[in-house]
Amino acid sequence: MNVLRQIVLWLHVLSAIVWIGGMLFLSLALVPYARTLDPPSRARLISGVGRKFRTVSWIAIGLLILTGFANLGFMGLTAQLGSYLMSPAGQPLLWKLILFAVMLGLSLIHDVLIGPRATQDPQNPNLRVISGWIGRITLLLGLIVIYLALLL
């Protein structure tokens, strides 16, 4: 494996670690701690950390997309990607790409629609519930994507 391919693969894995690891941190550490705070402090903490994580996560997502295409090129799959994805060997990659696309859509909904509305109206419990479930589902899909990556 040449050095450029190793660097691209390393950036791909590092970006996944940052995005999925950040979601794990939020769900396992930050949110449970925030529940011990009074509502205004909780809202400030989650909103502030969420805005910062949103920037970091979208950088990671961008790197995942760029390095993902580069990895396909290194694998020699750009020309025959469709036939490879339909083959038994390509099924894990096909599902990885589908689930990543769903994660991307859920992240957009969370970061563009639900998150800002929840920040503007912190007393609305429906927005917090929807935001939490979108985050949990995205995290679960991310863990499945990591498993599928191991099958490649």
Side-chain angles (χ1 to χ4, degrees), residues 6-139:
Q6 290 174 341
I7 291 170
V8 169
L9 183 58
W10 175 76
L11 280 172
H12 194 74
V13 171
L14 182 61
S15 298
I17 289 169
V18 168
W19 190 27
I20 306 301
M23 286 189 276
L24 278 169
F25 168 76
L26 291 173
S27 65
L28 297 176
L30 183 80
V31 171
Y33 171 74
R35 288 188 182 126
T36 67
L37 302 174
D38 60 276
S41 297
R42 178 184 325 136
R44 273 193 316 278
L45 176 66
I46 291 177
S47 175
V49 172
R51 278 193 306 274
K52 192 60 109 173
F53 181 65
R54 180 175 37 221
T55 301
V56 170
S57 65
W58 282 104
I59 291 169
I61 291 167
L63 282 170
L64 282 167
I65 292 168
L66 291 173
T67 57
F69 279 117
N71 285 326
L72 289 174
F74 287 129
M75 294 169 65
L77 293 177
T78 51
Q80 71 269 12
L81 182 60
S83 60
Y84 176 75
L85 293 175
M86 295 302 129
S87 73
Q91 289 297 293
L93 180 59
L94 173 65
W95 283 105
K96 182 181 170 203
L97 294 172
I98 290 170
L99 294 179
F100 177 78
V102 173
M103 290 174 68
L104 194 59
L106 289 172
S107 293
L108 276 170
I109 290 168
H110 181 275
D111 292 353
V112 174
L113 298 175
I114 304 300
R117 287 177 54 200
T119 300
Q120 292 168 355
D121 188 7
Q123 301 305 318
N124 186 335
N126 293 332
L127 293 174
R128 286 195 319 270
V129 169
I130 293 168
S131 177
W133 276 107
I134 289 174
R136 287 182 197 100
I137 292 167
T138 305
L139 173 57

